[in-house]
Amino acid sequence: MQTHPTLIIGAGLTGLSCAYHLGHDYLLVEKEDEPGGIVRTRNRHGGFLCDGTGHWLHLRNPAMQALVNKLLPGQLVEHERKAMVHLRGVFTPYPFQANTYGLPREVVLDCLLGLLKARHPEDFGLAAPAAPPRNFRESVERLFGEGICKNFMAPYNEKLMAVKLEEISASYADRFIPRPSLEDVVKGTLGFSRESLGYNAKFVYPREGGISALPRALAKAIPVPPRYETTVTRVDVGKKTATLSTGESIRFRNLVNTMPLKNFVDIVTDAPARIRAAAAKLRATTVHYFDIGVRGPGDAASRHHWIYFPEPDYVFYRVGSYSAVHAGAAPPGCRSYYVEMSGGDAVGLLSRPDELKARVLADLKRARVLSAKDEVLFMELCNIPHAYVIYDEHYEPCRKEILDYLGGNGIQSGGRWGGWNYGGMEDALLEGLQAAQRSA
Ligand SMILES: Cc1cc2nc3c(=O)[nH]c(=O)nc-3n(C[C@H](O)[C@H](O)[C@H](O)COP(=O)(O)OP(=O)(O)OC[C@H]3O[C@@H](n4cnc5c(N)ncnc54)[C@H](O)[C@@H]3O)c2cc1C
């Protein structure tokens, strides 16, 4: 049996960052033949660079900024978000809550009045709520009012997560939701929009190689390369041993897991029944997406970075364009898209891929993302199994019970899926650093 002070499961950004910051005495095991997890660029159809849906880098933490700049010196290009919301046939700038200009007047009125009532209930003879919000719907209604909730927040988030807002906890996605001032809202209602609201108003992206450039640079920078095409199949928490798909047994002092928490509990052979029961209650939404490459002139909405589609008569909830951000992502004269689907009509059509493709193309043309003159070169359907974890009533207690049990046995589980949360790439890098500090 081999002994390693730290065993790291998974060479996504969290596992790679952990190895990088440990610098020695680790074994990093990855089941795929490349690093990065879903942060991975596929070269499709000879020259279309498709990341696992849009992966744009939002760096706020100075240490992580320094790390990424060191890994990709001079290679990061800054972009200003060009994101839109499509509702009632109208495109308005994202975020919806601050940009209702151009929508039908009754929608604008509904949204503006709703927001004013939520922020200043006393002016409308209403009482301010006495108790904290019980769920995400109440939370959104109190922040933005009933009109914004009804027209955008509820339909969009329910389409994305395929569950009702009432099932989701009040604090869900807190830090990701832009909160415009009244001044921003009034300006956005009258068409003086300020697009730079929110956490992702600016982002960076590698000049070459797609988003894979980041995990590849990290994998190169670590002293011991990952063991690729090797899966950790079993972990005995009590004995501190793991079994690999190669048949090897590993003894470890620390274990850092980054595979999805729910699946990790499945391979812990000595997990108590209460931990298995808690893991069974963790829920997540699967995202299905098409990577699409086209050649042709495009239409009015072809060059937005990404567009939100809250309405149920569009089969997708979001459409983004790799090539609109980074022209090098598609060959000359071509464009590339990722079309994301989760709940709604998409679910029923998954078993009939040709119908689903036809529906996606028809909806893209109706939304003027594609034109009739565009030639579709390829459409590749992929999925992300646990894309968005669902913050329902079981989320906090079950996650805590599992993480406490693992932590009590010297095991850290982190990253977006290992920690079962809603984090971005920067969080993954940061959690890798923190796991290394705790393992050292
Ligand atoms: C639709 C979508 C869009 C996103 N867009 C953005 C964005 O624009 N910007 C942003 O910052 N973030 C974005 N993210 C978040 C980002 O993808 C994650 O934060 C990041 O990928 C998390 O990395 P990780 O290392 O924690 O997990 P992963 O990348 O999943 O790493 C885990 C690794 O473990 C490996 N593994 C699993 N099981 C085993 C096993 N048994 N043995 C060995 N290896 C195993 C996997 O192959 C994988 O490589 C998005 C996420 C989604 C779902």
Side-chain angles (χ1 to χ4, degrees):
M1 183 175 296
Q2 308 167 35
T3 298
H4 291 276
T6 303
L7 172 63
I8 308 169
I9 305 180
L13 291 180
T14 308
L16 287 165
S17 166
C18 180
Y20 178 87
H21 289 100
L22 273 174
H24 56 86
D25 287 346
Y26 64 83
L27 173 67
L28 171 53
V29 179
E30 168 56 51
K31 72 178 163 96
E32 301 293 338
D33 59 0
E34 256 206 79
I38 70 160
V39 182
R40 188 166 169 190
T41 309
R42 265 112 181 152
N43 189 333
R44 299 199 194 281
H45 207 80
F48 286 87
L49 300 184
C50 301
D51 301 333
T53 84
H55 269 80
W56 320 117
L57 270 163
H58 316 289
L59 299 170
R60 291 157 298 232
N61 179 295
M64 295 304 103
Q65 250 165 12
L67 170 63
V68 175
N69 280 315
K70 185 172 166 197
L71 290 165
L72 299 171
Q75 285 189 56
L76 294 171
V77 180
E78 189 173 78
H79 301 270
E80 262 186 50
R81 178 188 67 205
K82 282 190 257 160
M84 307 299 278
V85 174
H86 179 274
L87 183 71
R88 307 265 195 121
V90 176
F91 286 96
T92 53
Y94 171 88
F96 180 83
Q97 52 271 34
N99 292 296
T100 51
Y101 179 72
L103 285 164
R105 287 194 314 164
E106 67 277 10
V107 176
V108 178
L109 183 67
D110 208 16
C111 292
L112 185 59
L113 266 185
L115 187 123
L116 290 171
K117 283 180 188 170
R119 298 245 173 124
H120 300 283
E122 64 288 352
D123 290 344
F124 295 84
L126 301 167
R134 288 168 300 175
N135 55 51
F136 191 47
R137 176 180 289 278
E138 286 189 4
S139 173
V140 165
E141 283 181 350
R142 288 192 200 176
L143 273 175
F144 304 119
E146 284 180 13
I148 287 170
C149 183
K150 183 179 77 189
N151 284 290
F152 179 72
M153 288 291 191
Y156 178 73
N157 284 292
E158 289 178 355
K159 201 170 172 189
L160 165 68
M161 284 182 288
V163 296
K164 289 279 174 206
L165 288 202
E166 288 80 352
E167 287 184 58
I168 300 168
S169 70
S171 60
Y172 170 69
D174 237 3
R175 76 184 161 112
F176 294 108
I177 300 179
R179 278 148 216 221
S181 65
L182 260 188
E183 185 179 339
D184 285 328
V185 172
V186 171
K187 283 182 175 166
T189 305
L190 295 170
F192 302 97
S193 62
R194 193 164 70 82
E195 287 196 39
S196 57
L197 284 168
Y199 79 99
N200 58 2
K202 283 190 180 157
F203 56 90
V204 292
Y205 188 77
R207 199 181 297 282
E208 279 182 11
I211 198 63
S212 264
L214 178 59
R216 283 188 188 150
L218 253 180
K220 249 195 210 159
I222 59 177
V224 184
R227 282 269 304 268
Y228 291 114
E229 297 182 88
T230 308
T231 303
V232 177
T233 54
R234 273 185 298 168
V235 171
D236 189 314
V237 161
K239 292 190 183 132
K240 291 194 178 288
T241 59
T243 309
L244 308 186
S245 50
T246 52
E248 293 157 276
S249 296
I250 310 288
R251 190 183 299 285
F252 57 83
R253 195 168 68 231
N254 302 299
L255 173 62
V256 176
N257 169 58
T258 72
M259 69 186 272
L261 188 60
K262 200 175 165 72
N263 301 355
F264 180 62
V265 169
D266 282 343
I267 66 165
V268 174
T269 50
D270 52 342
R274 69 179 172 86
I275 297 301
R276 291 196 193 287
K281 288 186 187 150
L282 296 179
R283 293 161 72 202
T285 298
T286 299
V287 163
H288 302 268
Y289 67 96
F290 277 109
D291 279 336
I292 304 182
V294 299
R295 184 190 292 125
D299 205 339
S302 292
R303 287 171 178 84
H304 297 309
H305 289 168
W306 62 87
I307 308 166
Y308 299 88
F309 287 87
E311 290 164 313
D313 58 331
Y314 285 87
V315 71
F316 31 74
Y317 65 84
R318 186 168 59 180
V319 173
S321 173
Y322 302 116
S323 58
V325 175
H326 173 59
C334 298
R335 310 185 312 279
S336 57
Y337 296 94
Y338 54 93
V339 173
E340 297 170 289
M341 301 159 289
S342 172
D345 288 358
V347 177
L349 287 172
L350 281 169
S351 58
R352 306 197 295 280
D354 287 342
E355 265 181 64
L356 181 60
K357 275 186 189 176
R359 171 77 192 273
V360 165
L361 291 178
D363 285 359
L364 287 173
K365 284 180 189 155
R366 193 155 53 100
R368 303 180 67 193
V369 173
L370 297 189
S371 80
K373 289 186 186 154
D374 284 332
E375 177 194 359
V376 177
L377 302 174
F378 70 88
M379 277 181 91
E380 186 88 32
L381 184 59
C382 313
N383 69 64
I384 306 170
H386 303 291
Y388 293 90
V389 310
I390 295 175
Y391 285 56
D392 62 9
E393 56 170 329
H394 300 299
Y395 172 81
E396 282 291 351
C398 292
R399 174 177 177 270
K400 181 174 184 314
E401 185 163 18
I402 301 168
L403 293 181
D404 284 353
Y405 157 74
L406 294 175
N409 285 285
I411 294 178
Q412 303 182 60
S413 195
R416 176 158 169 144
W417 293 286
W420 205 254
N421 58 37
Y422 183 10
M425 293 185 281
E426 183 185 64
D427 301 300
L429 294 172
L430 203 52
E431 287 189 35
L433 161 70
Q434 289 159 351
Q437 286 167 340
R438 286 192 289 258
S439 301

